[in-house]
């Protein structure tokens, strides 16, 4: 495939599992982020404050910034991003959490998938 036929857009999929040792610290940080956001309307701020106070996963969603992941990568511009968070049961020894589970299907392709344990 020539350069002109190669798509310019690349989808990067990231799946993170975060252990929260101090939910109050996460909530406080999210509340500060919301308070410091100059683009948030007062109504949005009230809703966001309630969401992060009730759910640590929501607080983390306010703190994780996908734009920050690629903002300084030379030659790129973030075209779109979406993310969510949820509470989960996690067992690192379970085969359900094998980060390399899809590698058998994609051994012939280098798709840039990376994992961290």
């Amino acid at each position: 495939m020539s350069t002109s036929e190669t798509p310019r857009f690349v989808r990067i999929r990231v799946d993170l599992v975060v252990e929260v040792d101090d939910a109050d610290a996460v909530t406080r940080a999210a509340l500060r982020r919301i308070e410091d956001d100059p683009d948030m309307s007062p109504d949005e701020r009230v809703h966001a404050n309630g969401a992060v106070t009730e759910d640590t996963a929501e607080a983390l969603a306010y703190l994780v910034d996908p734009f920050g992941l690629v903002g300084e990568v030379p030659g790129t511009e973030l075209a779109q991003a979406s993310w969510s968070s949820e509470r989960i049961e996690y067992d690192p020894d379970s085969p359900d959490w094998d980060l390399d589970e899809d590698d058998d299907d994609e051994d012939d392709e280098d798709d840039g998938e990376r994992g961290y344990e």
Side-chain angles (χ1 to χ4, degrees):
M1 186 176 276
S2 73
T3 303
S4 64
E5 296 172 353
T6 303
R8 296 182 347 191
F9 297 94
V10 175
R11 180 181 305 232
I12 299 173
R13 296 177 193 231
V14 177
D15 193 12
L16 303 171
V17 176
V18 177
E19 182 177 1
V20 177
D21 292 328
D22 187 346
D24 290 336
V26 172
T27 300
R28 285 191 306 272
L31 290 170
R32 278 191 304 275
R33 168 83 50 95
I34 292 165
E35 187 62 35
D36 293 343
D37 186 345
D39 297 325
M40 193 175 285
S41 73
D43 288 341
E44 290 174 314
R45 197 176 313 277
V46 168
H47 174 73
N49 283 336
V52 303
T53 302
E54 293 174 16
D55 187 355
T56 305
E58 284 291 327
L60 278 170
Y62 274 89
L63 295 169
V64 172
D65 179 15
F67 300 97
L69 293 174
V70 296
E72 307 238 349
V73 176
T76 66
E77 181 178 335
L78 184 62
Q80 180 180 1
S82 67
W83 65 104
S84 64
S85 61
E86 62 185 339
R87 290 183 174 271
I88 60 166
E89 293 296 323
Y90 177 67
D91 176 6
D93 298 324
S94 169
D96 293 338
W97 292 99
D98 184 8
L99 292 175
D100 298 324
E101 69 185 34
D102 295 333
D103 287 351
D104 293 338
D105 297 337
E106 299 173 3
D107 282 341
D108 296 332
E109 297 178 27
D110 181 13
D111 63 0
E113 184 173 328
R114 301 289 182 254
Y116 175 80
E117 289 187 70

